[in-house]
């Protein structure tokens, strides 16, 4: 399924008053004021989604910094946002969809088919000259019934052996993958066997996703091809969803490790590799485009 909607298509839907649920997932690491930013200006009719409380359960060493909430809790949140069965949902943020991809993935995992990311997010909407509105939107309660388990996932045990038969991508910035810095989690480095693929490499200079053919070339250079199992992790399972969307654009279906490195690095029994190569001791795989810094992956 194509995961993106562009600004002209969304604007046309709103002008025509076609039923569209807009979700504003304004959240970024180190910036706790997403709701304040939302109140200052958001797409007309957009409902604020609080990533920390509605898209995650409480943090724990055993499950990571942003564990997935229970299916019941997530359904309650989706109904608060006004979603009904059969609705079309568009999510966005102001950080190139690094946060919004979380709710896109979760709704897809819950069985919604018509859910999209606004390509380029709020910046693209503003660049097109379209209006934003201030204040809070409180929709009527929705009645959507959500499922669970519609997207592939893996746990720590599967992640540990994934590189033996597939490709495990690390979506964090290159310096965190290599173990040069670790601002959040207890150990620095990466899951042994993982390949560095920062989420910033999915985007063009305007913050929109690269065309599908360019994304496909990027991932093929990392060792991915049709029939090869691929999985993604990041710091806490948030921006890894962005990479899942990029892989879908490129024609690959990827599994997500929700606990990601925040879960992995809290388990002292699990090994951590450092350095530029998957095993931590060699060079980059042939064609690996990770040249250094990328976005902070959460």
């Amino acid at each position: 399924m194509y995961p993106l909607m562009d600004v002209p298509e969304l604007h046309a839907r709103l002008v025509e008053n076609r039923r569209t649920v807009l979700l504003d997932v304004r959240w970024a690491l180190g910036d706790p004021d997403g709701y304040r930013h939302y109140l200052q200006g958001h797409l007309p009719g957009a409902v604020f989604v609080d990533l920390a409380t509605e898209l995650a359960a409480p943090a724990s060493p055993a499950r990571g910094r942003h564990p997935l909430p229970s299916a019941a809790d997530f359904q309650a949140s989706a109904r608060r946002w006004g979603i009904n069965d059969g609705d079309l949902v568009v999510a966005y943020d102001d950080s190139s969809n690094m946060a919004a991809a979380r709710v896109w993935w979760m709704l897809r995992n819950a069985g919604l088919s018509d859910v999209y990311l606004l390509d380029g997010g709020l910046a693209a909407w503003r660049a097109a000259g379209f209006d934003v509105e201030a204040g809070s939107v409180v929709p009527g309660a929705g009645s959507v019934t959500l499922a669970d388990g519609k997207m592939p996932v893996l746990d720590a045990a599967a992640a540990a052996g994934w590189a033996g038969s597939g490709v495990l991508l690390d979506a964090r910035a290159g310096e965190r993958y290599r173990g040069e810095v670790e601002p959040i989690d207890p150990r620095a480095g990466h899951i042994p066997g993982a390949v560095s693929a920062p989420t910033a490499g999915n985007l063009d200079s305007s913050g929109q996703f690269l065309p599908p053919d360019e994304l496909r070339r990027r991932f093929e250079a990392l060792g991915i091809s049709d029939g090869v199992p691929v999985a993604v992790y990041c710091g806490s399972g948030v921006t890894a969803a962005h990479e899942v969307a990029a892989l879908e654009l490129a024609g690959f279906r990827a599994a997500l490790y929700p606990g990601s490195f925040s879960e992995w690095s809290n388990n002292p029994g699990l090994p951590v590799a450092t350095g530029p190569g998957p095993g931590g001791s060699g060079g980059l795989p042939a064609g690996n485009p990770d040249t250094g810094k990328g976005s902070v992956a959460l």
Side-chain angles (χ1 to χ4, degrees):
M1 299 178 186
Y2 196 77
L4 302 181
M5 182 176 290
D6 63 23
V7 166
E9 182 179 358
L10 176 59
H11 184 258
R13 287 188 65 87
L14 299 183
V15 169
E16 296 164 5
N17 290 316
R18 299 169 66 188
R19 172 72 179 171
T20 307
V21 178
L22 292 175
L23 302 180
D24 185 308
V25 194
R26 209 82 61 88
W27 187 91
L29 187 67
D31 182 358
D33 297 322
Y35 184 59
R36 180 173 62 83
H37 300 320
Y38 161 84
L39 291 175
Q40 292 170 344
H42 53 79
L43 268 66
V47 178
F48 181 72
V49 174
D50 185 20
L51 186 147
T53 62
E54 295 183 301
L55 303 183
S60 74
R63 298 186 64 206
R65 284 184 280 110
H66 291 109
L68 293 175
S70 70
D73 286 347
F74 184 52
Q75 178 173 276
S77 294
R79 289 179 174 181
R80 185 192 73 76
W81 305 330
I83 301 177
N84 299 314
D85 290 324
D87 278 347
L88 183 144
V89 181
V90 180
Y92 72 92
D93 57 30
D94 201 17
S95 54
S96 302
N97 286 314
M98 296 292 180
R102 170 79 164 200
V103 76
W104 167 83
W105 184 92
M106 289 176 63
L107 287 170
R108 285 281 300 275
N109 186 55
L112 267 66
S113 57
D114 285 336
V115 54
Y116 304 91
L117 293 169
L118 178 62
D119 197 14
L122 182 61
W125 181 266
R126 284 175 164 155
F130 297 133
D131 292 337
V132 297
E133 65 181 22
S136 180
V137 174
V138 181
S143 58
V144 68
T145 299
L146 298 182
D148 194 19
K150 302 301 183 180
M151 296 285 276
V153 299
L154 66 156
D155 57 14
W162 195 271
S165 58
V167 178
L168 179 63
L169 299 180
D170 185 317
R172 299 172 302 158
E175 61 269 24
R176 288 182 69 194
Y177 169 88
R178 296 187 294 271
E180 296 164 5
V181 297
E182 182 45 65
I184 314 168
D185 295 319
R187 289 187 287 166
H190 58 268
I191 297 174
V195 176
S196 182
T199 50
N202 300 327
L203 302 169
D204 64 19
S205 58
S206 70
Q208 293 180 294
F209 280 86
L210 294 171
D213 58 342
E214 291 187 33
L215 287 169
R216 189 171 183 90
R217 286 194 294 271
R218 181 195 188 209
F219 292 123
E220 286 177 341
L222 294 168
I224 298 168
S225 60
D226 294 329
V228 173
V230 57
V232 187
Y233 73 92
C234 58
S236 63
V238 175
T239 51
H242 189 281
E243 197 115 288
V244 172
L247 283 155
E248 190 167 295
L249 284 167
F252 302 112
R253 183 167 171 82
L256 175 73
Y257 175 20
S260 285
F261 197 69
S262 61
E263 177 187 286
W264 182 278
S265 61
N266 266 291
N267 187 334
L270 295 175
V272 170
T274 57
S281 60
L284 296 168
N288 191 326
D290 175 19
T291 58
K293 296 188 176 184
S295 61
V296 175
L298 310 173

